[in-house]
Amino acid sequence: MSRPPVGDWSTDFDHLDPRWIENPYPIWETLRAQCPIAHTERYRGVYFPSTYQDVRAVAYDTEHFSSRRIIVRETPPPRIPAPPITSDPPAHRPAKNLLLPAFTPDAIKRHEPHAREICAGLIDRFAGKPGCDIAVDYAQEIPARIIAHMLGLPDDEGDRFRKWIHEILELGITEPAAVMRAIGESSKYFQAEVEKRRAQPSDDLISYLAHATIDGAPLNEDHLLGTLRLILIAGIDTTWSAIGACFWHLAQHEEDRRRLADDPALIPTAVEEFLRAFSPVTMAREVIKETTINGCPFKPGQMVLLSFPAANRDPAVFPDAERVVIDRKENRHAAFGLGIHRCIGSNLARMEITVALQEWLARIPEFRLDPAATVTWSEGTVRGPRRLPVLF
Amino acid sequence: VKVDRGRCQGHARCAALAPELFRLDQLGNAQEIGDGTVPDALIEKAYLAKANCPELAIEVTET
């Protein structure tokens, strides 16, 4: 779809502009220097804070900024809850605490052997070939299979899950019908899975949530289905994007690639730096009470694009912010958010990214971008490579 | 070393970087181990944990 071109990023930005999708970092750098809180009349009014401090201020301020809408869309669909990500205090805390025990580092460690098995199996498929598309053949499959396993779903339904994700997070920004279709289909799908487990409980997240209670009461149907949809969506394309971005960098930076291949102990530190430099997730908030941040008034009813990726490129907090420094020691990045909505899956994502790099670099230490092919990026809420053809 | 439990959101960076000084509860939120006394050999790790906490929830006090 063609959109009116952006003239001035500080008063008319558009996060669906091809330049923003292709390479947003120079745009954000300019904004940080000229107009740290940009605004656009598009999407019925959106603010864009580009500094770490302003992003942090909005993320911490749940009184003026609500999570009831977390995606900037041209036409918002009816409010569809997905607790806890769409919850505000006080409902947020109990909804989140229900999920946290399944996602602690210790709980996630139990899934690590399975993640290694998945990565090794995927690499077996293309290791003997001249190259592959890392985004399609590798990165997208790892989180889809792990989260399916955690939920208790078949591990070969990635295409179906990714279609819903694409409809909700990308197409749905401009086509409300796509969101409603994906919500309808996924609700029906999860409803059937919940029924199965009510008849016969099993050892998976769907069964756990189908039998969970808050203050002694079972979750209502909207809460239950919304949370299941959230786990599926948030568990897949985010980590898919993060893994892809690591490989995009390594395919172009021989020195970093060789250093990690030779010294795998450095990988977890490098993962934090990749998460900082290529943070995939931009959330949004709805302004619900008038307030002022950094001298800029925020009007109720408008949205805020809460760009953790932009915060993480702020040179006021990260020296050499535009450079990828794989052994960066002090890295207080906000890739998983700040404040009460810290990503529940952060420990899972870290494990998956680390394992994906370790398994790959042990088998295929040499690879480069395919000069004949084009890298493409997703748009909107989650940013990562969707096509990443490489040669070995 | 002390974790401000009101600020901690469970990023778990401290427990990854300095497991001798921090542990996580059943929700994944951090607290200091014991009374938070840092042996000399771990002082650098205590500051590393502080420098990597996105919520600024870690205090290091020199006595």
Side-chain angles (χ1 to χ4, degrees):
Chain A
M1 201 184 84
S2 83
R3 315 178 59 77
V6 171
D8 181 345
W9 292 104
S10 53
T11 56
D12 183 39
F13 75 84
D14 187 339
H15 61 305
L16 292 190
D17 185 279
R19 286 167 288 173
W20 184 297
I21 292 165
E22 169 75 24
N23 183 14
Y25 306 114
I27 300 172
W28 300 344
E29 203 178 346
T30 309
L31 286 178
R32 234 176 263 122
Q34 291 174 2
C35 176
I37 299 176
H39 183 262
T40 186
E41 296 293 333
R42 298 172 193 240
Y43 309 95
R44 296 167 315 115
V46 188
Y47 301 92
F48 182 82
S50 55
T51 69
Y52 188 97
Q53 284 315 325
D54 292 345
V55 168
R56 188 170 192 269
V58 174
Y60 271 63
D61 183 350
T62 55
E63 185 193 341
H64 299 94
F65 302 96
S66 168
S67 286
R68 61 193 187 184
R69 283 165 62 202
I70 47 163
I71 299 178
V72 168
R73 304 182 188 280
E74 288 206 320
T75 320
R79 252 179 235 140
I80 302 151
I85 203 169
T86 57
S87 313
D88 293 319
H92 170 267
R93 186 43 57 191
K96 184 158 188 177
N97 284 359
L98 209 53
L99 298 174
L100 284 171
F103 291 91
T104 62
D106 282 348
I108 292 305
K109 207 148 181 53
R110 294 198 285 275
H111 299 283
E112 193 179 310
H114 183 223
R116 289 199 189 281
E117 221 172 278
I118 290 170
C119 292
L122 292 167
I123 296 170
D124 284 341
R125 290 183 183 176
F126 49 71
K129 298 183 180 169
C132 76
D133 184 328
I134 297 189
V136 175
D137 301 326
Y138 193 59
Q140 73 171 359
E141 287 297 328
I142 301 162
R145 290 176 193 216
I146 302 251
I147 209 71
H149 181 78
M150 290 178 75
L151 284 163
L153 300 172
D155 71 355
D156 59 354
E157 300 207 336
D159 287 340
R160 185 208 296 253
F161 302 153
R162 283 185 292 265
K163 176 180 126 5
W164 292 334
I165 290 169
H166 178 63
E167 288 174 341
I168 292 174
L169 295 185
E170 292 192 271
L171 272 187
I173 295 176
T174 49
E175 292 177 37
V179 183
M180 298 320 290
R181 185 169 62 233
I183 302 267
E185 285 176 18
S186 59
S187 293
K188 215 168 128 195
Y189 175 88
F190 278 121
Q191 186 69 62
E193 296 294 330
V194 165
E195 289 310 323
K196 278 190 228 167
R197 284 156 184 83
R198 282 191 175 135
Q200 193 178 358
S202 52
D203 181 24
D204 57 45
L205 273 175
I206 298 180
S207 191
Y208 168 74
L209 286 169
H211 297 94
T213 56
I214 290 180
D215 294 334
L219 308 185
N220 70 43
E221 216 65 359
D222 281 351
H223 183 146
L224 176 58
L225 297 176
T227 297
L228 290 172
R229 191 167 48 243
L230 167 65
I231 293 172
L232 185 79
I233 292 178
I236 296 182
D237 70 333
T238 50
T239 312
W240 164 19
S241 298
I243 294 172
C246 297
F247 282 95
W248 178 73
H249 174 82
L250 293 177
Q252 300 173 90
H253 294 84
E254 188 179 303
E255 197 185 318
D256 287 348
R257 187 176 69 239
R258 295 211 168 132
R259 196 166 163 206
L260 293 185
D262 292 345
D263 182 10
L266 186 58
I267 291 178
T269 305
V271 166
E272 297 306 318
E273 176 65 347
F274 294 138
L275 283 165
R276 179 193 73 80
F278 310 116
S279 313
V281 182
T282 295
M283 281 282 98
R285 296 286 187 267
E286 181 181 343
V287 186
I288 49 171
K289 259 195 235 173
E290 183 152 349
T291 188
T292 302
I293 286 180
N294 195 7
C296 171
F298 285 73
K299 303 274 178 219
Q302 303 223 346
M303 296 291 285
V304 182
L305 213 45
L306 196 56
S307 178
F308 300 110
N312 284 340
R313 293 278 187 140
D314 185 345
V317 179
F318 304 98
D320 259 341
E322 295 300 318
R323 224 158 54 80
V324 176
V325 181
I326 57 170
D327 58 357
R328 193 182 287 271
K329 296 266 177 311
E330 301 195 353
N331 199 344
R332 197 175 264 143
H333 71 75
F336 295 111
L338 291 168
I340 64 167
H341 288 281
R342 187 270 303 172
C343 170
I344 279 177
S346 60
N347 301 305
L348 172 61
R350 286 183 160 114
M351 183 275 283
E352 291 179 338
I353 302 165
T354 305
V355 167
L357 285 170
Q358 287 169 340
E359 294 294 316
W360 176 290
L361 289 171
R363 299 269 298 273
I364 311 177
E366 289 300 316
F367 56 99
R368 62 186 196 280
L369 290 185
D370 179 350
T374 309
V375 177
T376 64
W377 296 85
S378 59
E379 56 190 45
T381 303
V382 179
R383 181 172 194 273
R386 289 296 172 267
R387 289 259 162 210
L388 185 59
V390 295
L391 302 174
F392 308 148
Chain B
V1 66
K2 190 165 175 41
V3 177
D4 181 338
R5 304 272 288 162
R7 298 190 81 93
C8 175
Q9 297 292 347
H11 292 260
R13 298 295 299 133
C14 57
L17 293 165
E20 305 88 341
L21 299 175
F22 302 95
R23 63 183 192 85
L24 304 174
D25 64 17
Q26 74 286 355
L27 296 180
N29 294 321
Q31 53 195 80
E32 63 280 359
I33 290 175
D35 67 358
T37 302
V38 181
D40 283 356
L42 295 175
I43 289 175
E44 201 180 322
K45 278 197 175 187
Y47 281 106
L48 189 66
K50 178 184 158 92
N52 281 278
C53 175
E55 310 290 350
L56 310 177
I58 297 173
E59 273 176 58
V60 182
T61 320
E62 307 221 7
T63 49

